[in-house]
DNA sequence: GTAGGGTTAG
């Protein structure tokens, strides 16, 4: 069979979801002597379905490669969450004197954003400048996104100010960056500026604005911007409804959140019901929680945990037990959490149940302290994120305990920029401390234990904000 | 003919 035909066939099989046929076809070819473009097509196709090993094999066997081959490998690895391998390919590319281009960097920057590693980020950015690659709107958006996810919102802002801002995606990246940093008012201010500069917001802009409101509990503003969408002829999508349900639910307006779900012009999906379910848990409303859970057709492990948590909150231990039994019976496995940490340039990975952290107890203490403060100062708990990993046994002991604590800790970090007491140290000094770092929503925070003093550090633009909690 | 960016949730 002609090689071009084979590569097209593989591509078609994969786009139709018949990946088995594609792999089989590849195996049956006695000798891989694809021309350049056919091989590239095959690499892209297998990367698309997550078969990076097959793609790698094809790539390794190529007698000649061009920049598209390299970029397909690097981009493919990044898409499949294998950034280390993407970096390895990139280094190989450089060592063989192949020149990277804007496509190469776009993938690498995205990889850094996923990982939240600031040293890698800086290296890639420096290299981009060294190679004198013009920063177009795609690279600009990617850079802004990368720096905000690495905890360097100030650097993200600097980049934003220096690049061409006539594309909506650049604004979206910046608005979303501010939103995840808990800077909702800045995000809203940027929206106004965007309108002044005559760039039309799109549906993603509103997702950013609504999530910003949701993170900070700005109900009135959330409602206002949700209504504003229609004046830009943007129909609310599932994502916007989701943000509203999240916002209203967290603030305790369960009925209004439920009304939104019912008024939706499309069928609510699992994400919407999950947001609602999550709100039911926070509000300790097991009745509404059951309504939500009944709607969720395909239960994932997380949904069971949420329902069980609702019962725990309402002291309905029997019901909680029943849910957990069902879980076991159905053979539901909990998703094991994973997190990444960059320390002195090295990326460390942690898995749930990983008990190798000597300072785990101290971290708990910090979080408990944060909860006390949160309750005292009346902050609204925002998103629930896994700040650190605990074993399944510990989760079993008290399902509610862990997530509640993390939610509150996250809430205080996001909703109180004034909490940090003083700005003392720079990044380098902190790296010298005996410390423990965690990635919170891809923003770098550190919990530092020095002689029984527990500190929480947040990094932004190379400046470390420290706060004492004990 | 093949490669790149910006979203929520967990």
């Amino acid at each position: 069979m002609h090689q071009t035909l084979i590569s097209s066939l593989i591509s078609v099989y994969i786009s139709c979801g018949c990946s088995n046929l594609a792999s089989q076809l590849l195996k049956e070819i006695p000798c891989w002597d694809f021309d350049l473009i056919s091989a590239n097509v095959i690499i892209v196709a297998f990367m698309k379905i997550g078969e990076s090993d097959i793609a790698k094999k094809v790539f390794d066997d190529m007698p000649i490669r061009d920049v598209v081959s390299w970029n397909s490998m690097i981009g493919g690895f990044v898409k499949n969450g294998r950034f280390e391998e993407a970096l390895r390919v990139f280094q190989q590319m450089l060592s063989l004197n192949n020149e990277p281009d804007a496509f190469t960097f776009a993938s690498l920057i995205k990889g850094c954003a996923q990982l939240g590693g600031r040293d890698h980020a800086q290296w890639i950015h420096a290299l981009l400048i060294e190679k004198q690659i013009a920063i177009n709107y795609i690279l600009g958006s990617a850079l802004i996104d990368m720096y905000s996810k690495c905890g360097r919102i100030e650097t993200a802002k600097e980049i934003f100010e220096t690049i061409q801002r006539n594309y909506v995606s650049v604004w979206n990246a910046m608005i979303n960056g501010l939103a995840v940093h808990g800077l909702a008012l800045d995000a809203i201010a940027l929206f106004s500026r965007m309108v002044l500069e005559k760039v039309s917001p799109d549906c993603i802009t509103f997702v950013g604005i609504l999530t910003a409101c949701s993170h900070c509990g700005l109900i009135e503003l959330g409602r206002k911007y949700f209504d504003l969408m229609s004046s830009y002829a943007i129909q609310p999508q599932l994502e916007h409804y989701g943000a509203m349900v999240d916002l209203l639910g967290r603030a305790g307006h369960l009925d209004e959140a439920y009304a939104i779900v019912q008024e939706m012009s499309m069928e609510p999906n699992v994400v919407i019901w999950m947001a609602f379910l999550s709100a039911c848990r926070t509000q300790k409303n097991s009745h509404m929680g059951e309504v939500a859970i009944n709607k969720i057709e395909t239960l994932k492990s997380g949904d069971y945990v949420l329902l069980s948590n609702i019962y725990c909150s309402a002291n309905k231990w029997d019901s909680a037990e029943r849910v957990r039994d069902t879980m076991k019976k159905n053979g539901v496995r909990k998703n094991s959490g994973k997190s990444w940490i960059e320390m002195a340039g090295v990326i460390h990975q942690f898995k749930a149940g990983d008990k190798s952290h000597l300072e785990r107890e101290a971290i708990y203490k910090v979080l408990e302290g944060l909860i006390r403060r949160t309750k005292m100062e009346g902050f609204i708990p925002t998103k629930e994120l896994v700040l650190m990993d605990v074993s399944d046994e510990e989760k079993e002991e008290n399902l509610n305990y862990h997530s509640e604590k993390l939610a509150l800790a996250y809430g205080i970090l996001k909703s109180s920029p004034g909490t940090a007491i003083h700005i003392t140290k720079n990044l380098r000094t902190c790296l010298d401390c005996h410390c423990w770092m965690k990635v919170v929503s891809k923003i770098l925070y550190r919990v530092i234990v020095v002689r029984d003093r527990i500190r929480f550090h947040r990094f932004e633009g190379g400046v470390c904000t420290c706060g004492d909690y004990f």
Side-chain angles (χ1 to χ4, degrees):
Chain A
M1 222 188 311
H2 194 272
Q3 41 182 262
T4 315
L5 188 62
I6 294 168
S7 67
S8 314
L9 206 52
I10 287 176
S11 202
V12 168
Y13 277 154
I14 285 177
S15 58
C16 296
C18 310
S19 46
N20 287 345
L21 284 173
S23 316
Q24 212 175 337
L25 182 59
L26 195 63
K27 270 186 213 144
E28 280 168 11
I29 298 160
C31 170
W32 294 355
D33 56 349
F34 296 113
D35 63 282
L36 185 63
I37 292 179
S38 300
N40 286 348
V41 169
I42 293 171
I43 290 172
V44 172
F46 280 102
M47 279 300 194
K48 223 173 254 171
I49 54 162
E51 292 284 1
S52 30
D53 293 328
I54 300 178
K56 181 82 166 52
K57 180 89 178 65
V58 175
F59 178 78
D60 287 341
D61 288 350
M62 283 171 84
I64 304 162
R65 299 167 189 143
D66 67 355
V67 69
V68 177
S69 328
W70 290 101
N71 290 347
S72 306
M73 282 307 291
I74 294 169
F77 273 134
V78 169
K79 265 199 206 96
N80 292 311
R82 292 167 67 166
F83 186 57
E84 285 88 350
E85 277 152 293
L87 272 185
R88 223 171 291 146
V89 176
F90 179 56
Q91 264 146 357
Q92 191 190 354
M93 180 186 191
L94 293 179
S95 66
L96 294 171
N97 291 325
N98 287 279
E99 277 305 305
D101 63 6
F103 283 77
T104 327
F105 280 100
S107 296
L108 290 169
I109 293 167
K110 192 175 184 206
C112 287
Q114 280 169 9
L115 213 57
R118 50 205 307 141
D119 286 5
H120 284 99
Q122 214 147 15
W123 176 63
I124 297 292
H125 191 188
L127 212 58
L128 176 72
I129 293 166
E130 190 191 308
K131 297 280 178 194
Q132 296 187 321
I133 290 168
I135 296 181
N136 57 17
Y137 75 99
I138 288 177
L139 284 173
S141 317
L143 280 171
I144 292 165
D145 183 54
M146 175 184 79
Y147 276 116
S148 19
K149 283 178 179 158
C150 292
R152 293 180 52 170
I153 191 74
E154 291 302 327
T155 314
K157 281 196 223 165
E158 280 165 27
I159 292 171
F160 176 78
E161 294 302 336
T162 51
I163 62 172
Q164 278 228 322
R165 293 183 294 275
N166 45 357
Y167 280 91
V168 66
S169 60
V170 178
W171 293 83
N172 289 350
M174 194 66 244
I175 286 175
N176 192 57
L178 294 167
V180 294
H181 275 259
L183 302 165
L185 295 177
D186 293 2
I188 288 166
L190 203 61
F191 180 92
S192 312
R193 197 176 137 196
M194 169 182 193
V195 175
L196 280 178
E197 293 193 21
K198 303 216 169 4
V199 179
S200 294
D202 64 5
C203 56
I204 294 171
T205 321
F206 282 98
V207 174
I209 292 289
L210 293 179
T211 51
C213 294
S214 161
H215 282 197
C216 294
L218 303 172
I219 304 155
E220 286 309 317
L221 281 168
R223 285 195 191 112
K224 177 186 152 187
Y225 282 95
F226 185 73
D227 293 339
L228 195 67
M229 287 175 67
S230 59
S231 40
Y232 289 97
I234 298 167
Q235 287 287 325
Q237 302 297 305
L238 280 168
E239 293 81 356
H240 306 103
Y241 285 119
M244 285 309 285
V245 170
D246 194 56
L247 170 64
L248 295 165
R250 276 180 211 283
H253 301 263
L254 266 187
D255 292 340
E256 200 182 334
Y258 190 62
I260 291 242
V261 176
Q262 287 183 312
E263 279 164 23
M264 282 172 59
S265 48
M266 69 275 288
E267 201 56 40
N269 67 354
V270 174
V271 178
I272 303 273
W273 284 116
M274 283 291 286
F276 186 69
L277 185 58
S278 175
C280 294
R281 191 185 64 83
T282 321
Q283 303 302 321
K284 302 188 179 178
N285 189 328
S286 55
H287 172 67
M288 293 291 248
E290 276 184 280
V291 173
I293 206 96
N294 287 334
K295 297 279 184 184
I296 299 169
E297 289 170 350
T298 48
L299 288 175
K300 290 183 292 182
S301 61
D303 307 350
Y304 282 111
V305 174
L306 271 178
L307 183 62
S308 177
N309 285 351
I310 292 167
Y311 288 130
C312 284
S313 316
N315 290 327
K316 293 184 180 172
W317 304 106
D318 294 347
S319 307
E321 198 59 43
R322 208 179 59 226
V323 174
R324 272 180 274 173
D325 282 348
T326 319
M327 256 170 97
K328 280 182 197 151
K329 227 178 280 167
N330 295 356
V332 177
R333 288 186 54 215
K334 289 181 194 170
N335 297 323
S336 57
K338 237 186 358 184
S339 67
W340 299 263
I341 287 166
E342 183 189 290
M343 210 185 282
V346 184
I347 304 280
H348 299 264
Q349 279 198 36
F350 298 84
K351 282 184 193 151
D354 191 341
K355 290 187 173 175
S356 56
H357 310 306
L358 296 171
E359 300 189 57
R360 206 176 61 213
E361 282 183 27
I363 309 293
Y364 269 115
K365 271 193 186 169
V366 171
L367 292 169
E368 281 161 19
L370 289 172
I371 290 170
R372 274 201 298 278
R373 269 189 86 106
T374 309
K375 283 187 176 156
M376 238 157 46
E377 298 176 23
F379 293 115
I380 299 169
T382 56
K383 287 184 196 171
E384 295 161 11
L385 284 173
V386 175
L387 302 181
M388 58 179 193
D389 310 307
V390 292
S391 67
D392 280 350
E393 292 83 41
E394 282 172 290
K395 278 183 190 157
E396 288 294 330
E397 271 172 32
N398 191 340
L399 284 168
N400 206 23
Y401 178 66
H402 187 62
S403 58
E404 195 67 52
K405 174 154 59 186
L406 300 178
L408 290 164
Y410 185 75
I412 195 170
L413 304 185
K414 292 293 183 200
S415 53
S416 63
T419 312
I421 295 160
H422 51 270
I423 298 173
T424 49
K425 299 179 175 183
N426 61 28
L427 184 62
R428 189 159 296 283
T429 324
C430 290
L431 280 172
D432 295 335
C433 300
H434 177 50
C435 63
W436 210 88
M437 289 171 47
K438 285 308 291 183
V439 180
V440 184
S441 182
K442 295 174 188 165
I443 299 164
L444 280 178
Y445 291 97
R446 270 183 194 181
V447 177
I448 299 187
V449 185
V450 189
R451 277 186 237 102
D452 297 336
R453 298 286 294 169
I454 297 171
R455 288 182 153 185
F456 147 69
H457 290 197
R458 172 182 172 148
F459 293 107
E460 270 183 5
V463 178
C464 175
T465 318
C466 309
D468 282 353
Y469 286 95
F470 287 91

